[in-house]
Amino acid sequence: MGIHKNRMWTNLLRSIRSSLGRYIAIVAIIALGAGFFTGLRVTKSDMIATNQRYTDQKNMFDLRVMNSYGWTQADVEALGRMEGISCAEGARYADVLVRLEQKDDDFVYRIYSVPEQINQVGLKAGRMPSAPDECLLDAHYIPKSMLGSQI
């Protein structure tokens, strides 16, 4: 039994020495796959925690109640008094066609009222609107060079 075991190890070592590059590549692929899998398993909980922290900081809403007719302030206040609701706030939005000064094409934008308590806005540049003819623009779509421009 001992002789067969020694021959097996001898043949295995001889096989590894004769094609060392192939074995190193196989070990590297296995290590890379195991590392990638471990990273994916750990990342899920971190991503969920990061998202939860962000939504808590911005006080993002959990439920949007919409009505084609609209809501009165009394309706919004009644919703806010319901059990399990910590805050209720009304908002308005409209879909509009916008033509920028620099371009000849029209663009469709959704214009929202600025919330005070829920879905708080994070400014990247500029300041919050202070007059009725001022607005905020999404930094993802609009360059900083448009700050102060007329739309």
Side-chain angles (χ1 to χ4, degrees):
M1 185 85 159
I3 295 174
H4 295 294
K5 197 171 190 181
N6 285 340
R7 284 186 189 165
M8 181 183 77
W9 283 108
T10 304
N11 285 338
L12 178 64
L13 291 174
R14 187 178 301 138
S15 173
I16 289 174
R17 282 189 204 119
S18 66
S19 56
L20 184 62
R22 183 178 353 156
Y23 280 99
I24 290 174
I26 289 171
V27 168
I29 289 170
I30 291 170
L32 182 65
F36 188 73
F37 177 72
T38 303
L40 287 176
R41 298 275 298 172
V42 171
T43 301
K44 176 186 172 191
S45 59
D46 289 342
M47 289 179 72
I48 290 171
T50 300
N51 180 50
Q52 187 63 48
R53 190 171 38 256
Y54 178 79
T55 55
D56 289 346
Q57 286 173 353
K58 298 297 180 185
N59 199 24
M60 296 183 93
F61 67 83
D62 296 320
L63 179 66
R64 178 184 297 199
V65 181
M66 299 179 74
N67 180 344
S68 59
Y69 179 69
W71 299 98
T72 65
Q73 186 59 34
D75 294 332
V76 174
E77 290 169 2
L79 284 170
R81 288 190 299 270
M82 292 177 69
E83 184 180 336
I85 296 180
S86 61
C87 182
E89 183 176 14
R92 293 188 171 108
Y93 71 89
D95 296 323
V96 297
L97 285 174
V98 175
R99 176 168 289 161
L100 302 176
E101 289 178 345
Q102 302 90 337
K103 307 208 187 246
D104 293 333
D105 296 336
D106 290 339
F107 296 93
V108 178
Y109 286 100
R110 178 163 279 180
I111 309 295
Y112 292 93
S113 60
V114 178
E116 294 177 14
Q117 299 173 2
I118 299 174
N119 288 358
Q120 295 170 346
V121 177
L123 290 176
K124 299 271 183 180
R127 61 175 175 74
M128 291 295 285
S130 58
D133 62 344
E134 294 179 342
C135 68
L136 290 174
L137 297 174
D138 191 336
H140 182 72
Y141 298 106
I142 306 295
K144 282 185 181 181
S145 62
M146 286 198 60
L147 279 175
S149 298
Q150 185 174 0
I151 299 177

